[in-house]
Amino acid sequence: MKKIIVPGICLRAFEPQDAEQFTATVLESVPTVGRWMSWCHAGFTIEATHEWFDVCNRGRAEGTAYEFGIFSEDGRELLGACGLNLISKMHNYCNLGYWIRQSRQGQGIATRVARILAEAGFKQLGFNRIEIVVAEGNELSMQVARKLGALHECTARNRLMVGGLPAAASIYSLVPQEWPALPYQIIIES
C-alpha cells in the first residue's frame, strides 16, 4: 500500500519533495506532539527527515510497516503522519499510530485517519488485531481510541519511553469481528 484516498484526505508514502514540509511540520508540533513522542524535538533536522523516509521505505518494502503522510485531498498540505507498524507476522497483528500537526489538531483528523487505517488493516492486510498504545496522560490520543470503539484492555507499566523515561501506556485493541464498515469507499493504490 502506497496511497489511500478518501473524500477530504490522502494518505500516501512520503516522497523526497515532502522533506522540507515534513521538517517544518515536526518543528511546529514540538509543544504538543513532542510531549509524547521523543523524536519530535526542537533539534529535528531535514537529515532526520530523510532518515525517517528511508526507514518508511524499507518497512513498506519488507512488509513490516506501512507509514503514511496525512495530506489534504489534493496531496499538498501535510497534516501529520500515521501508520500501521510493529507488525507481527507470526501473530497477525500490528500497532496503529498517528500524530497531527499542531495547527490542525482538534479537527477530528486523527480519528478519521485511524478509522481509515484500521479499515485498510482489516480489509486489505487481513490483520486479526490492531493495537493502539497510548502513553498515560495523552488524553487526546486516548479519546481517538475510544471514538473508534477500541477496547481498553490494560495499562502496561513501562511500556513506552517518553522524554527518555519509561512510562505506563494504555493498550487499546480493535478486532475485525467488531469493526463496522465505513460509510464511504477507500481507494488503495499499491
Side-chain angles (χ1 to χ4, degrees):
M1 281 189 312
K2 290 184 104 174
K3 185 186 268 187
I4 303 173
I5 302 169
V6 299
I9 295 279
C10 173
L11 307 181
R12 67 169 170 79
F14 291 110
E15 299 169 354
Q17 62 267 24
D18 298 324
E20 286 185 31
Q21 186 176 192
F22 184 87
T23 305
T25 298
V26 169
L27 293 173
E28 168 196 316
S29 305
V30 168
T32 52
V33 175
R35 183 170 177 203
W36 306 110
M37 298 180 182
S38 299
W39 56 264
C40 183
H41 54 80
F44 193 85
T45 64
I46 197 150
E47 290 79 20
T49 294
H50 288 297
E51 289 171 13
W52 173 242
F53 288 5
D54 289 343
V55 167
C56 294
N57 290 332
R58 278 195 308 276
R60 182 171 277 103
E62 296 166 357
T64 58
Y66 297 92
E67 303 287 353
F68 300 95
I70 305 167
F71 290 88
S72 55
E73 188 172 10
D74 64 9
R76 293 187 183 148
E77 182 189 3
L78 180 63
L79 307 175
C82 60
L84 297 171
N85 48 46
L86 301 176
I87 293 172
S88 169
K89 293 181 181 184
M90 177 184 288
H91 298 291
N92 200 28
Y93 76 94
C94 70
N95 176 72
L96 190 160
Y98 43 84
W99 64 272
I100 305 300
R101 73 184 303 159
Q102 186 165 320
S103 61
R104 296 302 298 268
Q105 292 172 6
Q107 299 175 14
I109 297 167
T111 302
R112 186 148 190 242
V113 164
R115 195 174 307 283
I116 293 163
L117 278 182
E119 177 85 1
F122 291 136
K123 302 279 173 59
Q124 301 298 316
L125 299 173
F127 289 120
N128 293 327
R129 173 184 173 89
I130 296 175
E131 293 183 348
I132 302 171
V133 181
V134 182
E136 284 299 297
N138 187 345
E139 271 305 312
L140 293 177
S141 283
M142 288 182 192
Q143 286 177 19
V144 170
R146 290 190 291 266
K147 286 178 185 176
L148 289 180
L151 175 67
H152 180 261
E153 293 185 339
C154 69
T155 300
R157 299 176 296 163
N158 292 355
R159 177 61 175 80
L160 296 173
M161 295 296 287
V162 176
L165 300 171
S170 290
I171 311 295
Y172 294 87
S173 69
L174 298 166
V175 294
Q177 299 88 335
E178 299 169 358
W179 185 250
L182 292 180
Y184 46 82
Q185 181 180 2
I186 63 174
I187 299 168
I188 298 178
E189 297 178 11
S190 296

